[in-house]
Structure formats: C-alpha cells, structure tokens
Amino acid sequence: MLVVGDVVTDVVARHSGPLAPGTDTVAAVRTVPGGAGANVACWAAHEGCADVRLLGRVGRDSAAWHERELTAGGVRPLLVTDPKAPTGTVICLVDGGASAERTFLTDSGASLRLAPEDWSPDLLDGVARLHLSGYLFFSAPSRALVSVVLESARVCGVPVSLDPASAGFLTALGVDRFLGLCSGVDVLLPSRDEACLLTGLSDPAEAAAELSRRFPLVVAKLGGDGALVARSGSVRAHVPAARATPRDTTGAGDAFTGAFLASLLAGSGPGEAARAGCAAGAKAVERVGGRPPTRAPGEESGEGAESEEKESSGAADAWAGR
C-alpha cells in the first residue's frame, strides 16, 4: 500500500481543567510524530500490512527524526526534504476529562508543499492500493499533485481510498470543489461531521447513503457510535465501536483508516474491515499521540511510552475513531 499525505510533528498538551485565559493552565506536554497520512501508514503496518510506503514532505529541521520514526513503525518512508519550509506542526489541546476530546492548532508547513514534481508513476510499482490524505486538497501544489496521482492510479488500475481529513478545511475549500477533485476514488472514509458537511444532511446514516451514490464504498466513522458501511445508496452495515477508556483521541480516525485498509487488503469484506478499524480506533484513544506502538521498544513514541501511568478519570466508552 502507498499512502500519500502529511507528516507533521504533534505537540500534545493534555490539560485536566478548562483553559485559563491570561494565565497558566497545568498540562502534560509531549512531542510525538504525527500527520494523518503518516498515522494511517503506521497503523496499516501495525495491523498486518506487510509493505506500506509513505510519500510526504518534511523540513530539514526534523527529516531524519521522522524517517527513523516511520521506519520503526514498519513503514518505508519516501520523504521529500523541503529546502525552505519547516516540517508542519500541530498543537493538540486534549481535554483530560472522560471524553479526551481534542482541538487542533495547525501549521501545515512543508506538508502542503508536496507537488507534482515529487511524483513518479514508478511509485505505484507493486502497489495494490493507494490512499490519499484529505489534507492534500487544501493547498494549490498538493491539489495539483492529487490530479496527477489519480491519473497515474487510473492508468495503472490501482484502487484509491481517501479520508477527507478536516471539516474545517473542507468548509474553507468548498464542498463542490472538493467533490469535483475526487473523481476516481473508490473508498471514501469520512468522519460523521465530514459526511454531513459533504451532503448537507444532518443524519450520518442518510449522509453515508447519499455519498455512496457518488463513491462505490463509503465508510463513515462515528467515534463512540461505531461505523457505517454504505454502498449504492444505502447503509449495508452498522458496526459497533469497541470499548476503551479514552486518554487522547488524536489520530483515532487515522487508526481506523489504517486498520480498515490493511484488513481490506488481506481479503476481508467491508464489514469485517470496519470491525478491525473500530478495534484499532479503541487502541488509539488509550495512547497519547496518533501512532501505534513502534517496533523499537523503549523509544519515546514506542512501547516505552506505554509505561506511563494511564489516567482513569472516566468510565470505559466505545470508540471507533473519527
């Protein structure tokens, strides 16, 4: 599988109470590797996909670190080093309460400077599925790249999946414009908010069904309400979420997507693949950051991070990722 998407540095700040404007708010702060595209790739590798590659763009400031982290996560990094822009940075403000909900402050940096000149059709050699991060649609260079990549996939007969990535950025881009750029996508994996935004419908089941008139397969991620699988204008399955005690919801939707695609590539049907996605989403929310444990125990973003005491301020909830 080849993932084309964003690689960023996440600064995760978990605060236990309301933010206090004009003064200090106590928080636990960690810096971890992130980016929706990179997270999906790592979760796909973690969930059994034997050959996962990632094309992304980073700055010189942290290129070596990100390459090491991706390799440790079982991903073959195909990183372009930007000569001018730094690696993107996202500040993740995570409510330390039972919901562990997050708010993002995003500086996309080099990630949205990925451009057609960074692409070669040879990158699809041996690739059974191409996955695009929706963040590629939110800058002119990477939108141009999407067009080139989709044409290469069409010529090579490689199926394409897409995660819309951000309801906020979708609103700024425009729904019609986004949908017009998606020709050739066979699997769409929106969150609840993204599915509703893309259709103008308030009910996620109706929204998933409507989107499946445009895309052959739609899998809507509903967080604690599980996931919906829709085809040909109707919802075919509602998969329940797995239970978890949320600690940080950052990357839960990426975990779902990575596990779903890995299961799909292994021969599972969409319903079974969605169950694998729900299970991965539950694992993700019990970790800090958007990545699974790495293959290098003891490193900060890997198994060593699991030794930290896990807070248990809330009851177990069901999670699918969103």
Side-chain angles (χ1 to χ4, degrees):
M1 179 168 73
L2 172 64
V3 178
V4 182
D6 47 319
V7 181
V8 305
T9 300
D10 283 346
V11 180
V12 182
R14 300 181 64 253
H15 53 95
S16 58
L19 296 176
T23 186
D24 296 314
T25 299
V26 175
V29 181
R30 288 184 58 204
T31 299
V32 295
N39 293 346
V40 167
C42 288
W43 277 100
H46 184 265
E47 296 297 311
C49 191
D51 183 0
V52 183
R53 312 164 195 178
L54 173 72
L55 175 64
R57 196 173 182 95
V58 295
R60 289 174 176 168
D61 54 318
S62 58
W65 178 60
H66 279 291
E67 184 163 323
R68 286 195 304 270
E69 291 293 330
L70 288 165
T71 300
V75 174
R76 190 193 312 181
L78 307 171
L79 300 184
V80 179
T81 301
D82 194 292
K84 297 180 180 179
T87 300
T89 300
V90 175
I91 297 175
C92 311
L93 303 177
V94 181
D95 183 348
S99 68
E101 193 53 85
R102 74 278 189 269
T103 300
F104 296 147
L105 302 175
T106 302
D107 178 354
S108 298
S111 65
L112 293 190
R113 289 165 58 89
L114 200 63
E117 54 264 32
D118 300 321
W119 176 257
S120 167
D122 293 343
L123 291 171
L124 290 177
D125 288 349
V127 171
R129 172 164 291 280
L130 172 67
H131 178 71
L132 302 178
S133 167
Y135 284 104
L136 295 170
F137 289 73
F138 305 133
S139 77
S142 53
R143 278 196 300 273
L145 171 70
V146 166
S147 296
V148 173
V149 170
L150 286 173
E151 176 59 19
S152 292
R154 185 192 65 79
V155 170
C156 296
V158 176
V160 183
S161 55
L162 169 66
D163 187 327
S166 168
F169 284 156
L170 279 174
T171 300
L173 177 65
V175 167
D176 291 341
R177 190 177 183 191
F178 176 82
L179 291 173
L181 293 167
C182 293
S183 177
V185 170
D186 74 297
V187 180
L188 187 73
L189 295 127
S191 69
R192 181 202 308 266
D193 290 345
E194 292 154 6
C196 292
L197 175 62
L198 288 171
T199 59
L201 299 170
S202 60
D203 181 82
E206 293 179 3
E210 180 62 27
L211 285 170
S212 72
R213 300 179 191 277
R214 178 184 290 266
F215 301 94
L217 176 63
V218 173
V219 182
K221 299 171 286 186
L222 308 182
D225 292 325
L228 299 170
V229 178
R231 282 186 183 275
S232 303
S234 65
V235 172
R236 304 301 179 89
H238 184 178
V239 178
R243 296 189 69 77
T245 301
R247 189 182 185 204
D248 174 11
T249 59
T250 305
D254 303 333
F256 180 102
T257 296
F260 175 87
L261 295 175
S263 183
L264 208 63
L265 281 169
S268 300
E272 183 179 352
R275 281 188 285 275
C278 287
K283 295 176 191 176
V285 300
E286 294 191 323
R287 295 178 54 78
V288 173
R291 301 274 180 92
T294 69
R295 296 181 180 179
E299 292 185 0
E300 183 179 356
S301 64
E303 297 287 359
E306 290 300 291
S307 64
E308 300 174 6
E309 182 180 357
K310 293 187 177 182
E311 293 88 350
S312 57
S313 58
D317 292 315
W319 277 91
R322 52 188 171 181

